[in-house]
Amino acid sequence: MRKQDMDKRVTISGLPETPREFGFWMDGGWQGARTLYERISPAHGVPVTRIPVCTVDDLNAAVAAARRAFEDRSWAGLSGADRAGVLLRAADILRQRRDEIAYWEVLENGKPIAQARGEIDHCIACFEVGAGAARMLHGDSFNSLGDGLFGMVLREPVGVVGLITPWNFPFLILCERVPFILASGCTMVVKPSEVTSATTLILGEILAEAGLPKGVYNVVTGSGRTIGQAMAEHPDVDMLSFTGSTGVGRSVVHAAADSNFKKLGLELGGKNPIVVFADADLEDAADGAAFGISFNTGQCCVSSSRLIVDRRVADEFEALVVAKMQKIVVGDPLDEATQIGAITTDAQNATILSYIEKGKAEGAKILTGGAAADLGRGSYITPTLFTGVTRDMSIARDEIFGPVLSSFRFDTTDEAIALANDTVYGLAASVWSKNIDTALTVSRRVRAGRFWVNCIMAGGPEMPLGGFKQSGWGREAGTYGVEEYTQVKSVHVEIGKRNHWIK
Ligand code: TXE
């Protein structure tokens, strides 16, 4: 059976009888691979997908396809309106295939099905916003250079983009980038995480059906160490967008420097503060704090993992957070009622548990959680709140990437801001206060790329995302995201007769 036919026949409830087998996606079609990697559902312990282990030759072929598609102008040469048309058709197809894509996200990642569907809705919005941005992309002009000279600033697509994505939001992080890269006129090769590749591959089929010319979107699956590294070193990749760990981000920077100085976009780790003042609506803030660290089992780059709370209400507030955390439904991600599902990989599970042990050993006190939840199969960790955390502890400094919240106390606004900024990261932050002066002061002085006032993880793809400090370079999504994948060219036009240099 052809893979395309298999797509139409998947059941989207219960566990698959046999793992779904994929090819990799190149030049507008499925490609066979010699070796396959079998992904086991982290929640259910059964094989769910079989994904190609591509070779560096496969990568080279995909980059060549993306290069051909860029140079032949089949995409970059279209009007913004035509590019928008493809993106809008893709949004429609995503709407039709929403449940199917959500299902494979659940099986490979372990996230709850209801959450996964919500993420696909966000992805649809990304394509719609990308379509608008494609039509509105424009440069600038300088009518101020005198009567004899006119200046234009053109925005041109960077060229062939490499995109390396992680496993925590396989489809959402992909869709926060792909429509904006496409809107710019670039072509691309994607390398998803080896453990969550299915939906990135499915997107190839969707984009082809939407009318994307062949070679514009290619997916090469396999390990970071081989395919990811080769992509970062590739001399014919013009730009690389990497989302993942700070350590690999650093190696990608070296690889870019040692190859062709490719332009880089980096979204790396975070240790994001949530600052709660005594005048906040404490019930709302407690819900926000419990949600901010537990959503996606804390495996979010923007998880609010440091609670910085006004000492006057700290005991009361921590008790509210504990009550909220204890009500969170931890369970099988295919169950509609589940709020947090399985930890995505064994390695991540071990990392989170080791940080819980470090927190205890360093003298912090657990108010709730702090243990694995035994559901018979899969790895689950209950939402955890540590109090009595000091700045030097590893649970205060390191990105844990799990449902583990560390609580600190402050007496003054300046102290709260200093605590919030006491991290090498700067991805996101949140402040809770009903005092506009306080909320604005904290928003302006905390160094983070995304900020939420009396809310958390709110927003849409219209708004840019990205980090300050060691959380990364550049911005994704919205018009800022499209511009990131362009470079500007200054065009100078002389008007009238030249004033000769040689008289
Ligand atoms: O990330 P990796 P891992 C953080 C989080 C987590 C830690 C480790 O703290 O605990 O990173 O997760 C590809 N050259 N974040 O090990 O390895 C890899 O195949 C090029 C935060 O899974 O960075 C995958 O596609 N690419 C983060 C992607 O990089 C390489 C999301 C991310 O994997 C490569 C994920 C190499 N040498 C983890 N090695 C966020 N910002 O949201 C691996 N990759």
Side-chain angles (χ1 to χ4, degrees), residues 3-74:
K3 301 216 166 42
Q4 290 89 325
D5 300 330
M6 283 174 61
D7 294 337
K8 310 289 183 291
R9 296 180 51 156
V10 290
T11 46
I12 50 168
S13 63
L15 290 167
E17 280 166 24
T18 52
R20 179 171 170 185
E21 191 171 312
F22 288 85
F24 65 103
W25 184 267
M26 187 174 73
D27 226 0
W30 293 110
Q31 314 289 325
R34 256 173 256 133
T35 319
L36 293 170
Y37 158 82
E38 200 163 70
R39 173 64 175 153
I40 309 286
S41 162
H44 309 99
V46 300
V48 286
T49 51
R50 304 188 77 212
I51 303 290
V53 180
C54 291
T55 62
V56 172
D57 285 346
D58 296 330
L59 173 72
N60 290 339
V63 172
R67 174 61 59 195
R68 279 195 303 278
F70 184 68
E71 300 298 345
D72 72 15
R73 309 282 302 161
S74 57

Side-chain angles (χ1 to χ4, degrees), residues 18-175:
T18 52
R20 179 171 170 185
E21 191 171 312
F22 288 85
F24 65 103
W25 184 267
M26 187 174 73
D27 226 0
W30 293 110
Q31 314 289 325
R34 256 173 256 133
T35 319
L36 293 170
Y37 158 82
E38 200 163 70
R39 173 64 175 153
I40 309 286
S41 162
H44 309 99
V46 300
V48 286
T49 51
R50 304 188 77 212
I51 303 290
V53 180
C54 291
T55 62
V56 172
D57 285 346
D58 296 330
L59 173 72
N60 290 339
V63 172
R67 174 61 59 195
R68 279 195 303 278
F70 184 68
E71 300 298 345
D72 72 15
R73 309 282 302 161
S74 57
W75 184 243
L78 295 185
S79 67
D82 286 345
R83 287 208 287 271
V86 171
L87 296 175
L88 290 174
R89 280 195 293 282
D92 282 344
I93 301 167
L94 277 178
R95 212 171 266 116
Q96 290 155 25
R97 294 180 67 173
R98 171 181 182 258
D99 288 357
E100 174 206 346
I101 297 169
Y103 175 72
W104 294 107
E105 286 285 278
V106 170
L107 293 186
E108 286 195 335
N109 169 281
K111 66 178 67 209
I113 184 74
Q115 177 192 321
R117 285 195 212 103
E119 288 176 17
I120 311 305
D121 292 339
H122 178 84
C123 295
I124 293 166
C126 288
F127 273 85
E128 290 171 343
V129 171
R135 296 193 73 147
M136 293 306 292
L137 182 61
H138 64 279
D140 203 353
S141 64
F142 282 77
N143 200 21
S144 55
L145 305 179
D147 280 347
L149 196 63
F150 180 63
M152 292 182 285
V153 180
L154 308 185
R155 281 201 175 272
E156 297 185 355
V158 170
V160 173
V161 174
L163 180 56
I164 298 178
T165 54
W167 43 261
N168 54 335
F169 291 96
F171 202 64
L172 184 131
I173 287 178
L174 180 77
C175 293

Side-chain angles (χ1 to χ4, degrees), residues 165 167-168 191 194 224 228-229 242 245 248 268 301 348 399:
T165 54
W167 43 261
N168 54 335
K191 206 298 284 174
E194 43 274 59
Q229 185 69 28
F242 171 82
S245 61
V248 175
L268 309 173
C301 50
Q348 192 56 37
E399 181 181 56

Side-chain angles (χ1 to χ4, degrees), residues 67-328:
R67 174 61 59 195
R68 279 195 303 278
F70 184 68
E71 300 298 345
D72 72 15
R73 309 282 302 161
S74 57
W75 184 243
L78 295 185
S79 67
D82 286 345
R83 287 208 287 271
V86 171
L87 296 175
L88 290 174
R89 280 195 293 282
D92 282 344
I93 301 167
L94 277 178
R95 212 171 266 116
Q96 290 155 25
R97 294 180 67 173
R98 171 181 182 258
D99 288 357
E100 174 206 346
I101 297 169
Y103 175 72
W104 294 107
E105 286 285 278
V106 170
L107 293 186
E108 286 195 335
N109 169 281
K111 66 178 67 209
I113 184 74
Q115 177 192 321
R117 285 195 212 103
E119 288 176 17
I120 311 305
D121 292 339
H122 178 84
C123 295
I124 293 166
C126 288
F127 273 85
E128 290 171 343
V129 171
R135 296 193 73 147
M136 293 306 292
L137 182 61
H138 64 279
D140 203 353
S141 64
F142 282 77
N143 200 21
S144 55
L145 305 179
D147 280 347
L149 196 63
F150 180 63
M152 292 182 285
V153 180
L154 308 185
R155 281 201 175 272
E156 297 185 355
V158 170
V160 173
V161 174
L163 180 56
I164 298 178
T165 54
W167 43 261
N168 54 335
F169 291 96
F171 202 64
L172 184 131
I173 287 178
L174 180 77
C175 293
E176 283 178 338
R177 286 146 183 78
V178 168
F180 304 99
I181 297 171
L182 292 177
S184 75
C186 289
T187 62
M188 74 183 93
V189 180
V190 190
K191 206 298 284 174
S193 164
E194 43 274 59
V195 294
T196 54
S197 300
T199 54
T200 303
L201 290 162
I202 293 172
L203 186 62
E205 197 178 60
I206 289 172
L207 289 170
E209 192 182 335
L212 190 72
K214 70 186 176 71
V216 177
Y217 176 90
N218 308 277
V219 184
V220 178
T221 47
S223 84
R225 232 171 292 131
T226 52
I227 304 301
Q229 185 69 28
M231 191 184 260
E233 291 170 356
H234 207 292
D236 208 25
V237 170
D238 299 303
M239 176 168 173
L240 183 72
S241 167
F242 171 82
T243 304
S245 61
T246 303
V248 175
R250 209 177 296 280
S251 77
V252 157
V253 172
H254 287 296
D258 291 342
S259 52
N260 61 344
F261 284 110
K262 55 180 64 62
K263 185 177 179 186
L264 292 176
L266 303 172
E267 193 187 330
L268 309 173
K271 191 72 182 175
N272 309 297
I274 169 168
V275 184
V276 179
F277 284 84
D279 62 14
D281 180 323
L282 295 183
E283 293 277 349
D284 281 1
D287 189 69
F291 166 74
I293 190 61
S294 306
F295 180 70
N296 212 45
T297 57
Q299 298 175 133
C300 308
C301 50
V302 294
S303 291
S304 47
S305 50
R306 290 183 301 138
L307 170 62
I308 299 170
V309 58
D310 198 320
R311 192 179 305 279
R312 290 169 291 172
V313 294
D315 289 338
E316 175 193 352
F317 187 71
E318 285 174 353
L320 288 171
V321 175
V322 167
K324 285 279 182 185
M325 281 181 160
Q326 289 176 349
K327 281 195 196 157
I328 293 170

Side-chain angles (χ1 to χ4, degrees), residues 319-380:
L320 288 171
V321 175
V322 167
K324 285 279 182 185
M325 281 181 160
Q326 289 176 349
K327 281 195 196 157
I328 293 170
V329 182
V330 183
D332 184 329
L334 284 170
D335 185 334
E336 292 289 341
T338 293
Q339 287 177 293
I340 69 173
I343 305 298
T344 305
T345 65
D346 290 344
Q348 192 56 37
N349 190 52
T351 300
I352 301 167
L353 292 174
S354 78
Y355 273 108
I356 291 173
E357 289 312 311
K358 278 186 211 165
K360 287 194 260 184
E362 287 170 347
K365 185 177 160 210
I366 289 187
L367 291 182
T368 187
D374 185 4
L375 302 190
R377 54 185 181 177
S379 306
Y380 297 83

